């Protein structure tokens, strides 16, 4: 009897050990899979301080790259069209689409690592077409990942969704850590021109490793993420005949083309011709949706496009390390929301105050870009610290708002609210990018040359 009991205990322990190992294996796979979402595009933004001095666009590279990134939102529309053509209930498109996304995400950084510095004479001037075109494709696969990865994750138990989101947050943290290891090199200095000693030119120093090495590292990480996806697909148990999750319906934009808006006193009613269900949007919800539109214009559309004009006047190191700090804000806010969800309960006064605070911080950032080369406190030691604090504040405040309001829409309006949340996010991002691109094309932003003297007092 005792021997039988011991055998039962041993078998039970072995099963528990195997179950624990499978669980850890699942955690690792879903995290690695999530890392492949926005890794490449975040990496390109981190490299801007090293790219700008070498390319003909100079500081104008930021608004051009921002515009190219937002045009890439055509990707989700392509996936929506594929879904429509093969039937909305089918998930046959998911695995092939994800494979294509990963193959592009792996190969493009390698190609870019050998071509980012090449210039092409186009429309009367030299342009970095290789960087802009390949950057567009990186943005395209990153944007498209939003509408393919989540539906794929929905095949598995719902407990894995938060693990996947943890990996997604690391897609901004990992490029930031790589950038931190890379550094920006010694501060540039002015030296006499070899051809004319009366003219001073900038001398830039190399980082710890090159842009090429950085891009190849991104490609390797994407390759690891791709392997994790293949292992998930072939080894992890999938739930059969499950009802589509809210996340999948939202991301896919299901029935969006049939939605109608009607105004009824203080409520907006969103209804679909295919059913009689109505979901009322109170004026409070409408205000929150407008706040999402506003924060998207500033945070996703405008700020990335003016980063060079706002930060570069204060030095290449300030430019480099502030971008890295900002990339760390989303993982930080996401972690806090997981550990202290009570801090993200929506209150009308709190949201309004945070929106005003974030807008004021953005206003300072915009002024630093608008007034370049004579940005506020540009010749004083405290200048770079003030602008760094303002940048980090904008990211922390607006990420807090977006997570809090995302939870609010999920609880109060469900599918419709989150659909409009996503739609207004994309609309705001595109609007902000167009505004900055237009202003830059009109010559409203100016560079600050290191070796020129300015009377900014």
């Amino acid at each position: 009897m005792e021997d039988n009991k011991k055998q039962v205990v041993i078998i039970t322990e072995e099963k528990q050990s195997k179950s624990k190992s499978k669980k850890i294996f699942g955690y690792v796979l879903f995290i690695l899979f999530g890392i492949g979402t926005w890794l490449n595009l975040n990496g390109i933004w981190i490299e801007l301080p090293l790219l700008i001095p070498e390319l003909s666009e100079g500081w104008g590279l930021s608004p051009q790259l921002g515009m190219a990134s937002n045009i890439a939102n055509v990707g989700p529309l392509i996936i929506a069209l594929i879904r429509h053509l093969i039937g909305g209930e089918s998930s046959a498109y998911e695995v092939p689409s994800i494979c294509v996304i990963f193959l592009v995400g792996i190969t493009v950084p390698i190609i870019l690592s050998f071509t980012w510095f090449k210039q092409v004479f186009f429309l009367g001037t030299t342009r970095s077409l290789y960087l802009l075109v390949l950057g567009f494709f990186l943005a395209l696969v990153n944007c498209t990942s939003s509408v393919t990865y989540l539906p794929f994750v929905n095949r598995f138990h719902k407990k894995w969704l938060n693990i996947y989101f943890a990996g997604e947050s690391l897609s901004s943290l990992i490029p930031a850590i790589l950038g931190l290891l890379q550094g920006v090199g010694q501060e540039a200095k002015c030296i006499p021109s070899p051809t004319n000693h009366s003219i001073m030119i900038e001398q830039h120093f190399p980082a710890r490793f090159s842009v090429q090495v950085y891009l190849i590292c991104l490609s390797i990480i994407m390759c690891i993420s791709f392997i994790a996806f293949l292992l998930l697909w072939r080894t992890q148990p999938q739930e059969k005949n499950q009802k589509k999750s809210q996340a999948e319906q939202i991301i896919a934009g299901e029935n969006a083309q049939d939605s109608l808006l009607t105004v009824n006193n203080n409520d907006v009613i969103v209804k679909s011709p295919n059913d009689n269900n109505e979901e009322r949007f109170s004026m409070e919800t409408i205000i929150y949706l407008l706040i999402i539109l506003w924060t998207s214009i500033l945070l996703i559309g405008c700020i990335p496009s003016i980063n060079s004009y706002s930060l570069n006047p204060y030095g290449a190191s300030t430019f480099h390390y502030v971008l890295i700090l900002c990339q760390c804000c989303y993982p930080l806010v996401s972690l806090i929301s997981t550990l202290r969800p009570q801090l993200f309960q929506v209150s009308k006064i709190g949201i309004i105050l945070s929106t005003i605070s974030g807008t004021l911080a953005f206003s300072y950032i915009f002024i630093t870009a608008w007034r370049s080369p004579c940005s506020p406190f540009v010749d004083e030691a405290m200048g770079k610290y003030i602008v760094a604090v303002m940048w980090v504040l904008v990211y922390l405040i607006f990420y807090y708002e977006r997570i809090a309001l995302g939870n609010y829409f999920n609880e109060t309006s469900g599918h419709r609210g989150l659909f409009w949340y996503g739609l207004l996010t994309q609309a705001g991002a595109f609007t902000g990018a167009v505004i900055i691109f237009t202003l830059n094309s009109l010559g409203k932003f100016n560079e600050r040359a290191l070796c020129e003297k300015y009377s900014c007092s």
Side-chain angles (χ1 to χ4, degrees):
M1 283 292 290
E2 290 182 4
D3 290 339
N4 289 336
K5 286 182 180 179
K6 287 181 180 179
Q7 288 179 350
V8 170
V9 169
I10 291 171
I11 292 171
T12 303
E13 288 177 350
E14 287 179 351
K15 286 182 177 180
Q16 289 177 347
S17 178
K18 286 181 180 179
S19 176
K20 188 176 181 180
S21 299
K22 285 182 179 179
K23 193 173 182 180
I24 293 172
F25 187 58
Y27 275 113
V28 172
L29 291 182
F30 276 99
I31 287 175
L32 290 175
F33 178 49
I35 287 171
T37 48
W38 294 94
L39 182 83
N40 285 329
L41 191 57
N42 288 329
I44 293 295
W45 287 114
I46 291 288
E47 287 298 275
L48 277 182
L50 298 177
L51 299 177
I52 284 174
E54 306 295 331
L55 300 175
S56 58
E57 289 83 358
W59 295 15
L61 184 63
S62 292
Q64 292 184 35
L65 192 59
M67 193 67 206
S69 300
N70 279 281
I71 293 173
N73 280 312
V74 69
L77 296 179
I78 295 172
I79 295 296
L81 178 62
I82 292 172
R83 273 181 57 90
H84 178 72
L85 292 176
I86 67 175
E89 296 296 323
S90 175
S91 60
Y93 74 97
E94 291 172 4
V95 171
S97 298
I98 293 173
C99 288
V100 170
I101 287 169
F102 270 114
L103 290 175
V104 175
I106 291 168
T107 56
V108 168
I110 293 177
I111 297 171
L112 194 57
S113 70
F114 293 98
T115 59
W116 66 267
F117 51 85
K118 293 187 176 182
Q119 306 281 288
V120 176
F121 191 80
F122 183 69
L123 296 179
T125 185
T126 54
R127 301 180 188 274
S128 306
L129 282 186
Y130 285 92
L131 176 63
L132 292 173
V133 172
L134 293 174
F136 164 79
F137 279 105
L138 289 180
L140 183 67
V141 298
N142 287 161
C143 292
T144 308
S145 70
S146 298
V147 295
T148 51
Y149 286 23
L150 268 176
F152 175 76
V153 173
N154 185 56
R155 296 181 177 197
F156 305 92
H157 192 277
K158 61 183 181 181
K159 70 180 180 181
W160 296 115
L161 186 61
N162 285 335
I163 308 303
Y164 163 81
F165 282 134
E168 185 177 289
S169 69
L170 291 177
S171 70
S172 61
L173 184 61
I174 288 175
I177 293 173
L178 271 177
L180 200 60
L181 294 173
Q182 183 186 31
V184 73
Q186 184 182 334
E187 283 285 356
K189 65 179 183 180
C190 298
I191 60 172
S193 171
T195 56
N196 187 344
H197 291 286
S198 64
I199 299 175
M200 303 298 286
I201 61 172
E202 296 180 19
Q203 181 184 23
H204 295 274
F205 297 91
R208 294 187 186 96
F209 53 86
S210 66
V211 173
Q212 183 182 51
V213 172
Y214 185 94
L215 291 170
I216 291 173
C217 287
L218 293 184
S219 182
I220 292 170
I221 296 169
M222 284 295 291
C223 192
I224 294 171
S225 185
F226 184 37
I227 293 170
F229 158 71
L230 293 175
L231 290 173
L232 279 176
W233 177 38
R234 304 308 280 174
T235 65
Q236 291 295 303
Q238 301 180 18
E239 295 190 351
K240 303 294 184 181
N241 302 320
Q242 60 179 337
K243 185 179 178 181
K244 279 184 292 183
S245 73
Q246 196 174 65
E248 181 182 0
Q249 295 171 16
I250 294 155
I251 296 300
E254 199 162 83
N255 294 329
Q257 68 275 16
D258 295 328
S259 294
L260 300 175
L261 280 176
T262 59
V263 180
N264 180 18
N265 295 331
N266 288 330
D267 293 330
V268 173
I269 303 172
V270 182
K271 53 186 180 180
S272 170
N274 296 330
D275 58 49
N276 296 321
N277 294 332
E278 294 185 353
E279 293 185 15
R280 293 178 179 273
F281 281 179
S282 65
M283 287 306 298
E284 183 179 42
T285 300
I286 294 171
I287 290 170
Y288 290 157
L289 285 171
L290 291 175
I291 288 174
I292 288 298
L293 176 65
W294 176 246
T295 59
S296 299
I297 290 172
L298 302 187
L299 182 67
I300 308 175
C302 291
I303 282 186
S305 299
I306 60 172
N307 55 25
S308 56
Y309 294 104
S310 172
L311 294 170
N312 234 355
Y314 300 92
S317 294
T318 301
F319 188 13
H320 185 68
Y321 292 114
V322 169
L323 288 183
I324 290 173
L325 275 175
C326 292
Q327 290 293 332
C328 297
C329 288
Y330 176 49
L332 176 62
V333 176
S334 298
L335 178 63
I336 294 172
S337 69
T338 302
L339 299 178
R340 294 287 186 270
Q342 66 272 18
L343 298 177
F344 289 76
Q345 296 296 318
V346 172
S347 70
K348 189 182 294 185
I349 295 176
I351 290 295
I352 291 173
L353 287 177
S354 62
T355 303
I356 293 171
S357 301
T359 302
L360 290 174
F362 169 80
S363 299
Y364 184 84
I365 291 171
F366 187 82
I367 289 170
T368 60
W370 186 264
R371 290 184 57 187
S372 176
C374 291
S375 303
F377 308 109
V378 70
D379 294 318
E380 300 181 32
M382 67 176 178
K384 60 184 179 182
Y385 298 109
I386 295 174
V387 75
V389 169
M390 291 301 171
W391 269 79
V392 172
L393 277 178
V394 165
Y395 273 81
L396 289 176
I397 291 170
F398 284 159
Y399 275 138
Y400 159 76
E401 273 196 357
R402 295 179 67 79
I403 291 176
L405 289 177
N407 290 328
Y408 169 84
F409 293 132
N410 186 39
E411 294 172 2
T412 60
S413 306
H415 170 257
R416 300 293 188 189
L418 286 171
F419 171 74
W420 284 101
Y421 175 101
L423 183 67
L424 292 175
T425 294
Q426 299 302 327
F430 185 74
T431 302
V434 169
I435 291 171
I436 300 302
F437 182 80
T438 303
L439 290 173
N440 185 62
S441 300
L442 295 174
K444 300 301 181 182
F445 299 108
N446 299 293
E447 299 184 21
R448 178 185 174 93
L450 178 67
C451 300
E452 286 187 27
K453 294 186 182 295
Y454 298 92
S455 54
C456 295
S457 55

